[in-house]
Structures are given as structure tokens and as C-alpha cells.
Amino acid sequence: MKTVVTGGAGRLGRSTLDALARAGHEVICIDRVPAPDFAGRQIDVDLLHPSAFSNFVGDERPDAIVHLAAIAVPFSAPEAVTLETNSRLAFTVLDAAREHGVARVLAASSPTVIGYGSPTGWAPDVLPIDERHRTRPWNAYALSKQLVESMVAMFSRQQTATVFGAFRPCFVISPPEWAGEPTQQGHTVADRLRDPSLAAVSLFNYVDARDAAAFVLAWLERAGPPQSGRVYFVGADDALATEPLATLLPRFLPGVDASALDGSSPAFSSAAAKRELGWAPQHGWRTELDPAALASFGVVTPGSGTS
Ligand SMILES: NC(=O)c1ccc[n+]([C@@H]2O[C@H](COP(=O)([O-])OP(=O)(O)OC[C@H]3O[C@@H](n4cnc5c(N)ncnc54)[C@H](O)[C@@H]3O)[C@@H](O)[C@H]2O)c1
């Protein structure tokens, strides 16, 4: 399968390029910056120029497009720029796929569409949160992702030749970040575990970048017409927290009943992705942090010598 990945040089893109190449895809990376350590074809296209991308798709005739390119961090650019950039990029990619009859197109959305973190107050309708939860974006980034999901649904109503999909990866943690590099928000994974207020704003969600990439692969291999227009949460099987969310969440969202989240359960459910696409996360903070860091959180690993 010939698969184009936009934003392939990014945090999630690098793991996606790797996973698809290992699975035997002929992968083409589209980005404005080079993807380090990727041996496949890399093409420098600015997706803000729609005709350049449409011409590229018409020439290359890929079987699939994975659209990751975006301004990926809320408030990292002026709000109007984030809204315009992310929606224009998504429309450019989805419309080119429609125009050239690309068989599958998957676009990255975000759990932020749910609206957590709103300064005017927010509480979940229900826990765990799944795809039926209403969306209430409160900033331009989340709004742009809601638009991406609406575009996916809109294009899925226009034609059946293409399967259109969207996914909401939780807070992405890449292999170097497990090893101690700063995460997207500037602090380390260990910082996030040590100070729950850092992860509380996103309800302690996270996903390993390789697991998110495995979701992309599963969607490309298994999503068919019944899945066209659908969106999936993609998160780890546990929360990025050292104590149960049943007691932790109400400290940050007073009045919220989180008793449905037993043990280390996350606030977001990835059950639909598991059920419909056969995907399951393989990595979590308890398997990826080094034994010394785990010991500082009271997690004992075999052979760590910690009692
Ligand atoms: N990282 C997360 O925690 C997270 C969570 C939820 C959703 N997402 C979404 O997943 C996707 C990937 O996120 P990421 O963390 O890898 O982002 P990233 O910022 O690391 O990578 C995005 C890439 O897109 C490229 N890009 C931006 N504008 C472009 C343009 N005009 N033309 C070509 N390339 C362009 C950038 O150069 C960059 O390499 C984004 O859509 C993001 O919104 C990320």
C-alpha cells in the first residue's frame, strides 16, 4: 500500500512513519521539515498551498493518506492562526483525497474537542468518556479539531469511493520522552506523575506514540465503509497518575463522581477502537519508565532490587 503521511516529521508522525514502513507500506512523508532517521521518500510541501498537494496526490496516486500536520499545541500560535491553519490544512488534504479517489484518509483530531480545561468550568457528562460524549470546544485548537471531525463526516457523505476517518489521540508520549526528554507541554513524564495538577487539565490521558501509530495501521488495514465518517478515541489502558482517578479526579473537578473508574482505569474509553478495529495499546508508563523512576513512584519492577 502506498501511504502518504502529512506531518511525518512530528512527535506522532515519526512513530507513524516507522510503523507503516515496518508493516510494508511504501511511505511518503510530507512535511516542511525533515523527518530524522526516516529512510523513505520525504517531500517538502507546504500544505497551506492546496494546489501543490492536489497535484502531488494526482501524480502519486497513493492508496491512503494519514493527515497529522497541524499546529498541534493549543495557544502556541495566535488563536486565529491556529483555527485557520488547522482547518485549511485538513480541508486541503481531505478534498484532494476526494478529488483523486484515494481509498482511505485518516485525520488526527484531539480529545480537547470534549472541552475539558475550560476556564468557565467543565464537568464530564459521564465517565468513562467515549465517542458519544458531547463536544464543547473552548479554544481555537479544539474548535479546529471539531471542524476536522465535521469535515471527515461531510466528505464521508459525499462519496463512497473513499473511507474517511478521524481519531483523537490522547496526550502523545514518544520513546525519547519516556527516556526523559520534555513532553509537548515542556515538562517530563516523571514531572507529570509527580505533580498531578500538570496532567489534571487533560484528565490524566495519554498514549504511547507507537500505540497511536499502531492504531493508524489498524485503521488503514481494517476500516471499511461502515467506519467512514467515524471518530475514535485512542488512549492508554491506564491513567497517567499514581493514584486511582476515582479519588484523584474529584480533587480537580469538585463534585464529579468518578467512582465508575476503578483501579488505574483512564477517564477516556478506547473500547470502540478495540472492538471495531482490533487495536489495543501495548505500552504504558509502568512498562516504559526506567526502574529508578518507577521505584520513586512506588512501582516495583522485577530485578530492580526495590522492596
Ligand atoms: N501530541 C499530542 O499529544 C496530540 C494529542 C492529540 C492530537 N494531536 C494531533 O496529532 C497530530 C500530530 O501531533 P504531533 O504532536 O505529532 O505534532 P507536531 O507538532 O510534533 O508535528 C506536526 C507536524 O506538522 C508539520 N506541519 C505543520 N504545518 C504544516 C504545513 N503547512 N505543511 C506541511 N507540514 C506542516 C510540522 O512541521 C510538524 O512536523 C496533530 O494534528 C495534533 O493536533 C496530538
Side-chain angles (χ1 to χ4, degrees), residues 14-47:
R14 292 191 292 270
S15 289
T16 303
L17 297 176
D18 187 49
L20 298 184
R22 281 173 193 269
H25 288 231
E26 179 189 345
V27 187
I28 305 175
C29 172
I30 296 281
D31 207 305
R32 293 179 306 190
V33 297
D37 307 324
F38 176 60
R41 281 171 67 197
Q42 303 201 35
I43 303 184
D44 184 345
V45 173
D46 187 341
L47 293 166

Side-chain angles (χ1 to χ4, degrees), residues 171 173 178 183 187-196 198-200 202-207 236-243 245 248 264-267 284-286 289:
F171 186 73
I173 301 180
W178 289 122
T183 64
H187 45 253
T188 66
V189 177
D191 292 338
R192 222 166 158 86
L193 285 164
R194 210 169 285 121
D195 178 358
L198 296 173
S202 52
L203 311 184
F204 306 94
N205 74 25
Y206 79 107
V207 68
D237 269 340
D238 60 355
L240 192 61
T242 58
E243 59 179 295
L245 293 199
L248 192 53
S264 58
S265 296
W285 67 267
R286 291 173 178 82
L289 287 179

Side-chain angles (χ1 to χ4, degrees), residues 6-14 30-34 43-49 67-73 85-86 89 107-112 116 141 144-145 167-173 184-185 205 207:
T6 74
R11 172 178 274 100
L12 178 51
R14 292 191 292 270
I30 296 281
D31 207 305
R32 293 179 306 190
V33 297
I43 303 184
D44 184 345
V45 173
D46 187 341
L47 293 166
L48 287 171
H49 301 297
H67 175 53
L68 305 177
I71 294 174
V73 181
T85 303
N86 289 357
L89 262 52
S109 178
S110 160
T112 57
Y116 51 73
Y141 173 77
S144 74
K145 292 302 183 178
F167 70 118
R168 298 169 177 167
C170 291
F171 186 73
V172 175
I173 301 180
Q184 188 204 51
Q185 295 296 320
N205 74 25
V207 68

Side-chain angles (χ1 to χ4, degrees), residues 250-270:
R251 290 220 296 274
F252 295 93
L253 294 172
V256 165
D257 177 5
S259 56
L261 304 177
D262 55 348
S264 58
S265 296
F268 293 88
S269 166
S270 302

Side-chain angles (χ1 to χ4, degrees), residues 10-306:
R11 172 178 274 100
L12 178 51
R14 292 191 292 270
S15 289
T16 303
L17 297 176
D18 187 49
L20 298 184
R22 281 173 193 269
H25 288 231
E26 179 189 345
V27 187
I28 305 175
C29 172
I30 296 281
D31 207 305
R32 293 179 306 190
V33 297
D37 307 324
F38 176 60
R41 281 171 67 197
Q42 303 201 35
I43 303 184
D44 184 345
V45 173
D46 187 341
L47 293 166
L48 287 171
H49 301 297
S51 56
F53 188 70
S54 177
N55 292 340
F56 162 78
V57 174
D59 290 345
E60 289 291 338
R61 298 274 159 192
D63 303 293
I65 304 177
V66 178
H67 175 53
L68 305 177
I71 294 174
V73 181
F75 303 111
S76 61
E79 288 286 85
V81 174
T82 298
L83 179 61
E84 186 184 353
T85 303
N86 289 357
S87 28
R88 269 182 64 188
L89 262 52
F91 195 88
T92 293
V93 170
L94 295 167
D95 197 41
R98 174 205 58 76
E99 182 185 357
H100 297 288
V102 176
R104 276 148 208 278
V105 192
L106 178 66
S109 178
S110 160
T112 57
V113 294
I114 295 294
Y116 51 73
S118 163
T120 60
W122 179 89
D125 298 337
V126 66
L127 288 168
I129 295 166
D130 68 16
E131 293 80 0
R132 292 167 294 187
H133 198 287
R134 70 188 150 136
T135 57
R136 285 175 282 171
W138 68 271
N139 56 53
Y141 173 77
L143 179 61
S144 74
K145 292 302 183 178
Q146 188 180 44
L147 277 170
V148 170
E149 294 184 5
S150 294
M151 288 177 204
V152 162
M154 182 198 84
F155 279 113
S156 76
R157 294 180 203 113
Q158 279 188 21
Q159 67 174 33
T160 52
T162 303
V163 176
F164 294 91
F167 70 118
R168 298 169 177 167
C170 291
F171 186 73
V172 175
I173 301 180
S174 63
E177 293 161 357
W178 289 122
E181 280 189 12
T183 64
Q184 188 204 51
Q185 295 296 320
H187 45 253
T188 66
V189 177
D191 292 338
R192 222 166 158 86
L193 285 164
R194 210 169 285 121
D195 178 358
S197 68
L198 296 173
V201 68
S202 52
L203 311 184
F204 306 94
N205 74 25
Y206 79 107
V207 68
D208 179 279
R210 294 159 296 183
D211 285 337
F215 168 86
V216 170
L217 186 58
W219 188 92
L220 292 176
E221 288 177 350
R222 297 177 200 142
Q227 279 76 38
S228 197
R230 297 238 11 217
V231 57
Y232 295 91
F233 276 115
V234 175
D237 269 340
D238 60 355
L240 192 61
T242 58
E243 59 179 295
L245 293 199
T247 52
L248 192 53
L249 263 186
R251 290 220 296 274
F252 295 93
L253 294 172
V256 165
D257 177 5
S259 56
L261 304 177
D262 55 348
S264 58
S265 296
F268 293 88
S269 166
S270 302
K274 292 177 181 175
R275 191 176 58 244
E276 294 185 21
L277 302 169
W279 167 83
Q282 305 294 322
H283 306 86
W285 67 267
R286 291 173 178 82
T287 62
E288 301 308 315
L289 287 179
D290 69 53
L294 286 172
S296 73
F297 299 116
V299 178
V300 181
T301 49
S304 67
T306 310

